[in-house]
Each structure stands twice: as C-alpha cells, then as structure tokens.
C-alpha cells in the first residue's frame, strides 16, 4: 500500500531535532511521497534543503494569505524565479484567502491573483488555502478562468467546507484534500464532503505539524506517518477499503503534481 501526503511543513522548528526518525516512521507507514508547501518565499532555502535531502519530497513556493502584508513589488518576480530554479518544484502555493484570522480582503485578493498568474505562466497547479472564504475564493477563480480562458489546476487543501461548497470547486476542476480534521467527532460537514467527492478528485494530507488526526489528536505535533489515519477515515466514510483509497489518492496526487512514483 502506498500513500502520498500532499501537504506538509517539515521545515518548522519542531521537526528539526528528529526529522530522520520522522522520516523512518512515514516510510514504515507506507508514505512514498510528500509535497512540502510554502508559507513565504523566505522559507525557500530551508524547504529546498529538505527536498534534496529526501528524494521522496517535492515542494511548492508561494505566499500564504495571512502573510499577504509581506507582498512587495518584487515578490511576484521572486516567486517566479524561485519556481523556475528547481525541478523538484511541483506547485505554486500555498495561496488563497483567510478571513478567519484576517479581514484585509483587498490585499489578500491582490496577492492571490498575482500568484494565479505565476502558476498560469508556468503551467503549475496551485495549492489553495481557503478559510471562511469559500464564496470569495470561488468568485475569484471563476472570474480568473473566464477572463483568461485558462483552466487552472489545483487543490483545495485541508478542506473544511460544506458539500455545497465542495461541489463549487469540483465544478471548477479542482481536487479536494482532506486532513486530520475529517477524523474529528464534530466535523460533520467535512465528513459529508469527503463522502461525496468524485474519486478522481480526492486527495489526503496531514498539514503537519498541525491538526493531528484521531487517535493522535492529543499529540502536540502531527507528522506524515499519520496520513494513514486520514486515509482510514475517508475509506470508512466512503464505504471503501483502505487499499482503494490509498491507490486512488496516490494516483490523483501523481496526476495533479506530475509525480513519478
């Protein structure tokens, strides 16, 4: 059985003391590939070092919406140049909108659209962070595709939306990725969404070190090996086998991120 964790943050400080041991555990759990997301371009060198240390790690470059205030006139060119600099880069992001912790809509939108342009230019998929902003993200993506006549590829990462919102992004051609939140007892909308996503648009992730899944929820640090618990819960919700979910999500990740496993 093979699993792909499509969203990790291994460069965070709490992984530095024992990253080799963390890797051993994800290998034991059947995780054959990981996609390392990026919060800000300043992280690039630390993420790149991990990707080149571990052959099974690919990565992205981008600016998180909660860091939108860091955007400067040269940031777009910086992300573009970095994205061209390494063949292990498979996406732009994470980008998007977050109105749970911030309300600077205009600035977030500018940064979001600028990164959509970079991804379009490079023909790379986007990793989208969307929190309390599904209506606005949908509107931006719809208008972008209508205006540019360009079919964006990408994933709604750590998805927390309702089935209705999920359908919006499926209709736009996006993949939907579920994290440890799908295992939480009261996450009924997320669980309903996981049950209804088209099989060829389904992905799994940990978003580690955040959001450890049940039964590891009490731990302070999530890690890639725990993506198996996400896969198990998704399999239960969809009344499918773990092997079916692992095979399908691995195939989907390879297709979206052009991975050779």
């Amino acid at each position: 059985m093979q699993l792909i964790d499509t969203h990790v943050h291994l460069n965070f400080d709490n992984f530095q003391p024992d990253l080799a041991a963390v890797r051993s555990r994800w290998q034991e759990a059947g995780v054959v590939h990981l996609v390392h997301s990026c919060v800000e371009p300043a992280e690039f060198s630390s993420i790149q070092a991990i990707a080149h240390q571990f052959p099974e790690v690919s990565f992205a470059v981008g600016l998180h919406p909660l860091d939108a205030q860091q955007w400067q006139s040269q940031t777009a060119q910086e992300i573009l140049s970095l994205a061209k600099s390494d063949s292990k880069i498979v996406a732009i992001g994470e980008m998007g909108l977050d109105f749970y912790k911030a309300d600077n809509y205009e600035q977030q939108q500018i940064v979001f659209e600028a990164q959509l342009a970079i991804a379009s230019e490079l023909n790379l998929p986007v990793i989208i962070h969307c929190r309390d902003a599904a209506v606005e993200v949908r509107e931006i993506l719809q208008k972008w595709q209508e205006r540019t006549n360009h079919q964006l590829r990408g994933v709604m990462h750590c998805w927390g939306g309702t089935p209705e919102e999920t359908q919006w992004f499926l209709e736009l051609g996006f993949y939907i990725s579920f994290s440890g939140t799908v295992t939480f007892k009261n996450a009924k909308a997320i669980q309903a969404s996981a049950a209804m996503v088209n099989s060829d648009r389904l992905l799994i992730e940990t978003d580690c070190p955040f959001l450890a899944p049940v039964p590891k929820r009490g731990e302070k640090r999530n890690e890639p090996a725990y993506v198996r618990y996400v896969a198990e819960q998704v399999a239960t919700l969809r009344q499918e086998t773990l092997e079916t979910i692992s095979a399908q999500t691995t195939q989907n990740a390879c297709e979206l991120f052009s991975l050779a496993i």
Side-chain angles (χ1 to χ4, degrees):
M1 185 181 69
Q2 295 182 328
L3 297 164
I4 295 181
D5 187 345
T6 60
H7 199 104
V8 302
H9 298 278
L10 298 174
N11 65 317
F12 283 22
D13 289 344
N14 55 354
F15 280 116
Q16 300 319 303
D18 63 340
L19 188 54
V22 171
R23 185 200 190 195
S24 294
R25 288 193 290 273
W26 82 55
Q27 290 176 322
E28 291 169 4
V31 179
V32 296
H33 206 90
L34 307 88
V35 178
H36 199 304
S37 196
C38 180
V39 174
E40 57 180 344
E43 291 185 303
F44 184 88
S45 60
S46 65
I47 298 172
Q48 184 180 46
I50 292 170
H52 286 271
Q53 180 181 0
F54 303 133
E56 67 271 29
V57 177
S58 299
F59 67 115
V61 59
L63 185 65
H64 193 285
L66 292 179
D67 294 303
Q69 72 282 356
Q70 296 184 21
W71 190 267
Q72 300 177 13
S73 58
Q74 72 273 18
T75 306
Q77 185 58 49
E78 179 184 10
I79 292 174
L80 182 65
S81 297
L82 290 172
K84 291 179 177 178
S85 71
D86 195 315
S87 61
K88 297 203 76 175
I89 293 173
V90 296
I92 303 297
E94 59 189 281
M95 66 176 79
L97 301 177
D98 189 319
F99 300 146
Y100 179 77
K101 293 185 177 180
D103 58 5
N104 54 336
Y105 174 77
E106 185 174 351
Q107 179 66 25
Q108 288 192 35
Q109 179 179 353
I110 291 170
V111 173
F112 186 16
E113 292 188 352
Q115 293 181 90
L116 293 177
I118 294 168
S120 296
E121 179 176 343
L122 299 178
N123 194 31
L124 286 174
V126 293
I127 298 171
I128 294 183
H129 173 107
C130 174
R131 191 169 188 190
D132 286 4
V135 171
E136 294 84 357
V137 170
R138 178 198 192 192
E139 182 179 8
I140 288 172
L141 292 175
Q142 281 182 324
K143 289 183 176 178
W144 176 269
Q145 296 190 164
E146 291 169 1
R147 184 170 69 248
T148 64
N149 197 30
H150 178 83
Q151 179 63 51
L152 290 163
R153 296 179 297 124
V155 55
M156 307 302 296
H157 112 84
C158 193
W159 183 239
T162 65
E164 179 185 11
E165 293 166 341
T166 303
Q167 187 61 37
W168 296 347
F169 296 104
L170 290 171
E171 290 173 359
L172 286 168
F174 278 75
Y175 290 74
I176 311 294
S177 182
F178 295 93
S179 70
T181 57
V182 78
T183 70
F184 296 174
K185 180 179 179 180
N186 295 322
K188 301 304 183 185
I190 298 173
Q191 292 167 358
S193 294
M196 54 80 68
V197 169
N198 312 40
S199 61
D200 63 349
R201 285 289 182 268
L202 182 67
L203 294 173
I204 54 175
E205 64 174 88
T206 56
D207 198 14
C208 63
F210 312 108
L211 302 172
V214 175
K216 301 292 187 177
R217 192 175 181 186
E219 297 187 7
K220 293 182 178 180
R221 186 186 70 180
N222 194 6
E223 60 178 74
Y226 299 167
V227 78
R228 182 186 179 103
Y229 298 115
V230 178
E232 289 173 347
Q233 171 70 341
V234 170
T236 297
L237 293 168
R238 296 171 67 87
Q239 298 183 310
E240 297 177 9
T241 66
L242 176 60
E243 290 72 22
T244 296
I245 293 300
S246 63
Q248 184 68 64
T249 56
T250 294
Q251 177 182 332
N252 293 345
C254 289
E255 291 178 354
L256 176 61
F257 296 113
S258 301
L259 306 176
I261 304 301

